Amino acid sequence: AVAFVPSATIKNPKISTAMRLMDPAVLDPELIGTFNSVMQQSASFTDSTSSILAFSDQGQNLAGIFFQASLLPYLLFLYFLSFRANRINNIGNFGFQFILLFVLSTIPAGIISRSTYGCSLADVDWLHGGAELLLTVANVLIVLGFKEASTNPNPPKIDLNRILALGAFGAFAVACALGPSIGFQAHSPFLLGVGDLPSDTTLALPWVTHSEPVNALSIPTWAIHFSSVIEYLIAMNLVWKYADVTGNEKWKGLTWGMLPLHASGICACTYHFFYNPSSLQFLVAMQAGLTLLGNLTCAIAAYRIAKSNGWNLDEINPFPKSATNPQGLVADGIAAMPLTLRQADESNQVLAAKVIGLTIFLSYLIKYGELGLDLPFEPNAPVALGMVLGIPAITAFQYYQKSAQSEEGGFNFNPMGDKTLSMADVKKYGVAGTVAYVLTELAFWIVAFPVAATALYKSSGHWPDVVNDNGDRAAVLAFIFAGANIARAFVPL
């Protein structure tokens, strides 16, 4: 459960008004009852705190459910992706597998942040940045693997890359074990905050009108986030191009499948942009929901790739196959086919320099640039949703344009040649149409719930408790129903 104490007030020497800093303390479950009883003694905090607690608890529960449910689809994705006839590079394949270690690392990091510091993981910079570093390592492996497989007739071996990646995981495990005992505090910056400007220098910048909250991300942690987003976009593009390298257009479907995971990363960055406020707690549940959706779409895309390359149910038969059994010959033949290499757009060194340069620029721009804005200090749910949905929408539009220019099928936004899509059209495409319909509905609900919750908050002044309050539950469903009818006006179904 998440709870908040009264905000501290400080004076910024550059501003005539007092600045309010919210203490993002996270209490252990045993302390919640005591905290609530204390808060009830203050009439000025009773209503707002209880409503925030209700929605925060619910948001965290939803996030936990979504994250747990996303594990099985991701394991299926890894299974189908590793099918021998897919001819995926070992380094790239290991990169996708290494994401599991990133997920694993967040468990002890979250436990330490709560039990030792009484904070959420997002507010403990050295743990936060260390865990996110493993995701960056995974994305680097994916980019390196697909780039080398597509352009290099003699791609590097996986051994050294695996050792370096596992070494990073081991280093983070040691940091988790020793960090609290060697003096790391709740807001100790990741990598000792290398690159952070002194507070006096920050306040002296001409555009700065706000002081940083204590839970602001350090430059290294912002860099890890931006590099992960940039690398993932590069990986999506390399996967798209892998369709030409393998001669299998189904690989482009994996790029589309990765899009919700890209949106999940943007969701996390948006939450940090606003300094992790309770009023935007729904972004945590939304991020988890997008992760679940992305793992499902990636699993389906990987299945389609494997199926097109000869995978069948006999592949899961644990017993040895007969030497005269023709099953699997198609897959073996495809696995033996050489890749059609393409010319590299740039060397690895040039690509790395571009990623590093853009990462550093964005890190300083956001960390110190937002101090001149009021928006990050006045959390705005519609703006946050616009950021979460708008940036991935731009990415999706770029691939839609690529699909429209492709002569090999790809994604066709209007396959029926008219302006509407009926249930009969969905049924016409059989299982594929049904799966697409289910995923579309899931995506709608992932977006609709936080939007409806925010609408209720704006109209009533409290966050909904759909678990315990029938009135709130009915109001949220009414908002979603109204939104669905508006959506049908644009996309009839």
Side-chain angles (χ1 to χ4, degrees):
V2 179
F4 298 89
V5 299
S7 59
T9 301
I10 66 172
K11 291 287 185 177
N12 186 331
K14 296 186 61 177
I15 315 170
S16 59
T17 57
M19 303 302 300
R20 300 175 67 251
L21 296 183
M22 182 66 74
D23 183 357
V26 180
L27 302 181
D28 292 333
E30 294 80 6
L31 300 178
I32 295 301
T34 303
F35 175 83
N36 286 338
S37 64
V38 172
M39 293 303 291
Q40 287 173 358
Q41 299 176 13
S42 173
S44 61
F45 287 97
T46 299
D47 295 336
S48 60
T49 303
S50 61
S51 63
I52 290 175
L53 281 172
F55 184 72
S56 296
D57 289 345
Q58 175 189 303
Q60 289 185 337
N61 290 335
L62 284 174
I65 293 172
F66 286 151
F67 277 129
Q68 293 171 27
S70 68
L71 179 59
L72 179 59
Y74 196 77
L75 293 176
L76 291 174
F77 161 68
L78 293 178
Y79 168 75
F80 288 119
L81 189 70
S82 302
F83 183 55
R84 64 188 183 282
N86 291 345
R87 294 175 288 171
I88 183 174
N89 178 272
N90 288 334
I91 298 177
N93 194 32
F94 178 69
F96 281 114
Q97 295 168 356
F98 192 76
I99 291 179
L100 290 176
L101 290 183
F102 156 69
V103 175
L104 178 63
S105 71
T106 61
I107 298 176
I111 293 174
I112 294 172
S113 64
R114 288 181 179 274
S115 62
T116 303
Y117 302 117
C119 298
S120 66
L121 177 58
D123 292 326
V124 182
D125 195 76
W126 70 272
L127 281 171
H128 184 192
E132 291 291 336
L133 174 62
L134 300 181
L135 180 59
T136 294
V137 170
N139 290 343
V140 168
L141 292 171
I142 295 170
V143 169
L144 179 63
F146 276 90
K147 186 175 185 297
E148 290 296 311
S150 301
T151 61
N152 190 349
N154 298 302
K157 303 296 183 181
I158 191 176
D159 299 339
L160 178 60
N161 295 283
R162 181 188 286 117
I163 292 174
L164 293 175
L166 294 177
F169 177 75
F172 179 70
V174 171
C176 287
L178 301 179
S181 62
I182 62 177
F184 286 179
Q185 301 300 317
H187 301 299
S188 295
F190 176 54
L191 295 181
L192 304 179
V194 60
D196 285 359
L197 299 179
S199 57
D200 292 343
T201 302
T202 301
L203 291 174
L205 296 174
W207 62 85
V208 170
T209 56
H210 295 272
S211 297
E212 279 193 312
V214 293
N215 67 335
L217 270 60
S218 64
I219 283 293
T221 301
W222 266 124
I224 289 299
H225 281 76
F226 282 120
S227 65
S228 293
V229 171
I230 295 169
E231 291 151 7
Y232 202 74
L233 287 172
I234 296 173
M236 291 173 65
N237 186 49
L238 290 172
V239 168
W240 183 275
K241 294 179 178 179
Y242 209 62
D244 295 330
V245 174
T246 60
N248 187 342
E249 289 292 306
K250 296 295 190 294
W251 278 99
K252 294 182 178 180
L254 181 55
T255 296
W256 286 107
M258 295 167 70
L259 188 62
L261 296 176
H262 167 54
S264 177
I266 298 299
C267 199
C269 291
T270 301
Y271 189 54
H272 302 325
F273 174 83
F274 288 99
Y275 301 108
N276 313 331
S278 64
S279 57
L280 298 182
Q281 180 68 26
F282 68 85
L283 289 176
V284 178
M286 189 174 184
Q287 179 193 6
L290 289 169
T291 300
L292 171 59
L293 177 62
N295 287 355
L296 286 169
T297 52
C298 282
I300 293 171
Y303 166 76
R304 294 178 70 244
I305 296 171
K307 184 70 174 177
S308 67
N309 287 328
W311 183 90
N312 55 59
L313 290 176
D314 287 339
E315 294 291 337
I316 62 177
N317 184 356
F319 299 103
K321 298 180 178 63
S322 171
T324 60
N325 190 339
Q327 295 291 343
L329 293 180
V330 173
D332 292 337
I334 295 176
M337 294 176 59
L339 298 173
T340 303
L341 301 183
R342 61 180 180 82
Q343 185 68 32
D345 298 327
E346 55 200 354
S347 67
N348 292 342
Q349 293 76 15
V350 172
L351 178 60
K354 289 182 177 180
V355 172
I356 293 173
L358 183 58
T359 294
I360 294 175
F361 170 75
L362 291 175
S363 299
Y364 278 96
L365 176 66
I366 296 300
K367 180 174 175 62
Y368 297 111
E370 66 175 334
L371 295 179
L373 304 175
D374 293 331
L375 178 63
F377 300 88
E378 300 172 356
N380 188 303
V383 172
L385 285 172
M387 295 169 64
V388 171
L389 301 178
I391 296 175
I394 295 173
T395 303
F397 181 72
Q398 291 176 339
Y399 285 104
Y400 165 69
Q401 288 183 314
K402 290 184 178 181
S403 296
Q405 296 170 359
S406 173
E407 297 179 358
E408 295 287 340
F411 175 78
N412 191 340
F413 184 75
N414 190 17
M416 304 305 296
D418 55 27
K419 298 182 180 179
T420 63
L421 189 65
S422 66
M423 284 303 300
D425 297 326
V426 173
K427 294 177 182 178
K428 178 180 178 180
Y429 286 98
V431 175
T434 302
V435 171
Y437 179 77
V438 170
L439 291 176
T440 302
E441 286 292 319
L442 179 60
F444 169 78
W445 280 94
I446 289 174
V447 175
F449 178 79
V451 171
T454 303
L456 181 62
Y457 174 77
K458 294 294 185 182
S459 60
S460 65
H462 75 276
W463 289 108
D465 182 1
V466 298
V467 176
N468 303 310
D469 192 314
N470 291 332
D472 283 356
R473 183 162 54 248
V476 169
L477 291 176
F479 275 116
I480 293 175
F481 178 76
N485 282 279
I486 295 174
R488 287 192 180 98
F490 296 95
V491 187
L493 185 59

